[in-house]
């Protein structure tokens, strides 16, 4: 009997997740259809602010994490296969470009920006600011959601490229100093290991992650009712939903992109 | 300009009221909840259980989302305590509707806004700090002034003031009421509707139509 209760709870949880995901996808569809709103100057201002907060302000921290991760990968590779510059460089490129870069950048944005977006929108719901906007003849979807969704997606794609570049360059530079791997030889190998498909798929992945993270954040933020206690609840749900969506999307995109490489 | 036909929602029961172009009216409601509900019915976040609401002659229930928003852009609504977007500075709040609807830009509006804020009771020395502040940090009186200034600068065909004089000092209230009356007269055909849950929240004396919510929830002339 306890097993039945557990299964029911599991089923309810899964249905709840599906329902929330359906809401996020529906909102994402509406936001993408309304992308033309960016032609409006005040909407563009919100978009640029989102890019500033999500992208520019996160550059230093994601760059540091990327460089440290590059060192760890090269150091571990060197400890496994010795000072094999060719293999070390390739493993760094494959690991960073194909998996770690998009995922780490997404996690950084989820922890930093998706919670902030969800909390901001939830606070606006609690304070009835959506009604004020409507009263001014302003569509909250076009003014609040479209620029946040697109801003997060663009920022995440750009952050991923930055993360990967710093990770590879920083990893090579510092590991050549610490482990003694030949820098120029590794750089040459990396240039050979990089393909246009790897770069394209990495950027595509991160843009998709950005859309999903933004959809989860905005959808959960808009679920807040009239109580201030709902703000932390929707923020937590936004983070968890964004993580789940990104992990699932990563698996799907990795499988789908495998034949292209 | 605005018409309620047999509206039933919250404490309102078959409430009817109509304001024609050029008319000015005040409506005394029995509770603040009904006042806020009436605003929500107009902006479309609540629907009446029965009845119709017409804005500029158009039934809001029949209007699609885009049309409803376009109708609302022709109205200037002053919410209780102003109503603002908390993550925008005061100046951005004032500019937002005009900029969004492509009517005015910041450069052309600044002088007009400063003059209006002066008439609404803000000291000239205070105005720069006021415009640069986030509205949540302002005292209630200044939040109210923000809401009034934004709605007036929209140069709307219909003005709806909700609780305009609630919770503010008598001197500021007199300035706001006088400016609202001048604003009404400044544009031919403009209608102005004042809502409040207490008589002290409405302008007095008043040279327009007066209504009150009766005990049955309907709207009757207020004599």
């Amino acid at each position: 009997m306890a097993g039945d209760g557990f299964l029911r709870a599991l089923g309810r949880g899964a249905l709840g997740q599906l329902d929330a995901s359906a809401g996020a996808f529906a909102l994402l569809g509406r936001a993408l259809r309304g992308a033309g709103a960016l032609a409006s100057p005040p909407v563009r201002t919100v978009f640029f602010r989102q890019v500033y907060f999500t992208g520019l302000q996160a550059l230093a921290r994601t760059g540091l994490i990327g460089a440290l991760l590059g060192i760890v990968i090269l150091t571990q590779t060197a400890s496994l296969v010795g000072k094999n510059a060719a293999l070390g460089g390739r493993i760094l490129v494959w690991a960073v470009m194909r998996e770690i870069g998009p995922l780490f950048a997404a996690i950084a944005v989820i922890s930093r920006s998706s919670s902030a977006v969800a909390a901001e929108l939830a606070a606006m719901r609690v304070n009835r600011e959506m009604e004020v906007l409507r009263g001014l003849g302003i569509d909250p979807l076009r003014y609040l959601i479209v620029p946040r969704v697109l801003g997060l997606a663009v920022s995440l794609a750009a952050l991923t490229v930055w993360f990967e570049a710093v990770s590879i360059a920083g990893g090579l530079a510092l590991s050549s100093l610490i482990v003694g791997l030949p820098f120029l030889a590794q750089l040459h190998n990396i240039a050979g290991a990089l393909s246009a498909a790897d770069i394209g798929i990495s950027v595509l992945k991160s843009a998709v992650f950005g859309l999903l993270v933004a959809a989860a954040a905005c959808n959960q933020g808009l679920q807040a009712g009239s109580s201030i206690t709902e703000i932390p609840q929707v923020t937590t749900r936004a983070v968890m939903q964004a993580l789940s969506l990104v992990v699932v999307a990563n698996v799907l995109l990795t499988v789908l992109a495998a034949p292209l490489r | 300009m605005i018409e309620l036909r047999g509206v039933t929602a919250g404490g309102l029961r078959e409430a009817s009221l109509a304001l024609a172009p050029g008319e000015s009216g005040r409506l005394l409601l029995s509770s603040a909840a009904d006042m806020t509900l009436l605003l929500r019915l107009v902006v479309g976040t609540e629907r009446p259980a029965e009845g119709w609401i017409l804005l500029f002659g158009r039934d809001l229930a029949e209007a699609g989302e885009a049309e409803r928003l376009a109708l609302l852009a022709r109205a200037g609504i002053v919410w209780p305590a102003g109503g603002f977007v908390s993550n925008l500075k005061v100046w951005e709040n004032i500019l937002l509707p005009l900029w969004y609807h492509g009517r005015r830009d910041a450069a052309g509006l600044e002088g007009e806004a400063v003059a209006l804020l002066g008439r609404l009771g803000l000291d000239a020395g205070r105005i720069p700090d006021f415009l640069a502040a986030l509205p949540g940090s302002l005292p209630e009186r200044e939040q109210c002034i923000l809401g009034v200034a934004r709605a007036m600068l929209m140069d709307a065909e219909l003005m709806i003031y909700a609780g305009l004089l609630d919770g503010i000092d008598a001197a500021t209230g007199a300035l706001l009421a006088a400016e609202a009356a001048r604003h009404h007269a400044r544009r031919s055909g403009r209608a102005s509707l004042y809502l409040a849950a207490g008589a002290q929240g409405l302008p007095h004396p008043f040279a327009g139509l007066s209504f009150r919510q009766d005990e049955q929830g309907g709207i009757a002339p207020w004599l």
Side-chain angles (χ1 to χ4, degrees):
Chain A
M1 295 303 106
D4 282 356
F6 173 72
L7 285 175
R8 271 197 212 102
L10 202 63
R12 272 199 299 274
L15 285 174
Q17 283 294 320
L18 278 176
D19 190 42
S21 299
F25 282 116
L27 185 67
L28 178 59
R30 290 171 62 204
L32 291 177
R33 282 196 299 277
L38 281 185
S40 164
V43 178
R44 263 203 312 278
T45 301
V46 179
F47 169 81
F48 287 132
R49 278 183 185 164
Q50 192 61 56
V51 171
Y52 174 76
F53 289 125
T54 304
L56 284 175
Q57 283 199 334
L59 280 180
R61 196 153 294 179
T62 48
L64 179 66
I65 294 171
L68 294 174
L69 207 69
I71 296 169
V72 168
I73 291 172
L74 273 180
T75 308
Q76 290 287 9
T77 308
S79 72
L80 277 173
V81 299
K83 293 181 182 179
N84 184 336
L87 188 58
R90 278 188 188 146
I91 288 176
L92 180 64
V93 169
W94 289 339
V96 169
M97 297 290 291
R98 294 187 175 182
E99 288 301 325
I100 294 173
L103 265 181
F104 254 77
I107 290 168
V109 166
I110 289 170
S111 60
R112 201 175 167 279
S113 295
S114 80
S115 48
V117 166
E120 186 183 29
L121 291 175
M124 293 183 82
R125 286 272 301 175
V126 169
N127 294 329
R128 301 278 187 182
E129 293 175 33
M130 310 283 178
E131 288 176 352
V132 172
L133 284 172
R134 289 182 60 82
L136 297 168
I138 295 172
D139 183 354
L141 179 85
R142 289 167 61 86
Y143 179 67
L144 296 175
I145 307 302
V146 168
R148 280 171 173 77
V149 167
L150 298 179
L152 266 167
V154 168
S155 301
L156 184 45
L159 264 186
T160 301
V161 173
W162 163 250
F163 181 92
E164 290 168 351
V166 172
S167 187
I168 291 170
L172 287 184
L174 288 172
S175 63
S176 68
L177 289 173
I178 297 168
V179 189
L181 291 169
F183 181 80
L184 287 177
Q186 286 190 90
L187 201 61
H188 180 73
N189 283 316
I190 280 172
L194 264 179
S195 72
D198 279 330
I199 298 170
I201 291 167
S202 174
V203 171
L204 177 71
K205 250 188 180 183
S206 56
V208 171
F209 291 171
L211 292 174
L212 294 174
V213 169
C218 292
N219 185 50
Q220 290 296 341
L222 293 178
Q223 302 303 314
S226 56
S227 166
I228 200 164
T229 56
E230 293 180 52
I231 297 176
Q233 293 171 8
V234 299
T235 305
T236 308
R237 285 203 298 268
V239 169
M240 293 313 296
Q241 189 183 15
L243 273 173
S244 309
L245 288 173
V246 163
V247 169
V248 172
N250 187 47
V251 172
L252 288 174
L253 290 172
T254 301
V255 171
L256 288 173
L260 302 175
R261 285 177 165 133
Chain B
M1 300 295 263
I2 186 167
E3 185 176 355
L4 310 182
R5 282 190 197 158
V7 169
T8 295
L12 295 166
R13 295 281 178 275
E14 297 183 8
S16 295
L17 173 149
L19 215 56
E23 283 186 335
S24 186
R26 56 179 187 170
L27 170 59
L28 179 62
L29 290 146
S30 55
S31 70
D34 279 343
M35 178 176 69
T36 311
L37 175 63
L38 190 50
L39 288 178
R40 288 183 188 146
L41 291 170
V42 171
V43 301
T45 51
E46 299 274 358
R47 298 289 165 101
E50 287 176 34
W52 298 267
I53 298 168
L54 285 80
L55 204 56
F56 306 108
R58 181 79 169 113
D59 180 0
L60 290 179
E62 286 182 359
E65 175 73 355
E67 188 188 1
R68 181 190 287 262
L69 290 168
L71 291 170
L72 288 167
R74 295 166 59 189
I77 300 177
V78 180
W79 293 79
F84 49 78
V85 181
S86 56
N87 59 10
L88 296 180
K89 292 177 178 170
V90 168
W91 174 238
E92 294 168 325
N93 263 281
I94 288 175
L95 188 61
L96 179 62
L98 296 166
W99 201 23
Y100 183 88
H101 297 299
R103 292 185 200 160
R104 301 281 292 275
D105 61 12
L109 190 69
E110 196 170 348
E112 198 179 326
V114 168
L116 175 61
L117 291 170
R119 292 199 300 276
L120 292 173
L122 272 189
D123 291 337
R126 167 72 182 141
I127 290 175
D129 288 341
F130 171 77
L131 291 175
L134 284 170
S137 66
L138 298 175
E140 194 173 340
R141 167 182 173 270
E142 293 188 351
Q143 289 177 351
C144 184
I145 288 174
L146 156 63
V148 173
R150 181 182 55 203
M152 286 183 175
L153 289 165
M154 288 175 73
D155 194 24
E157 297 163 58
L158 167 69
M159 296 292 293
I160 302 177
Y161 303 92
L164 178 66
L165 308 181
D166 275 335
I168 53 171
D169 59 279
T172 305
L175 280 174
L176 294 183
E179 188 56 31
R182 278 197 295 273
H183 184 71
H184 176 78
R186 214 169 274 139
R187 177 172 175 158
S188 169
R190 173 178 286 145
S192 300
L193 177 62
Y194 300 83
L195 310 172
Q200 73 282 0
L202 292 169
H204 178 81
F206 187 68
L209 305 165
S210 294
F211 306 93
R212 66 181 305 159
Q213 186 179 358
D214 61 26
E215 288 176 0
Q216 288 75 41
I219 294 176
W222 180 20
L223 303 173

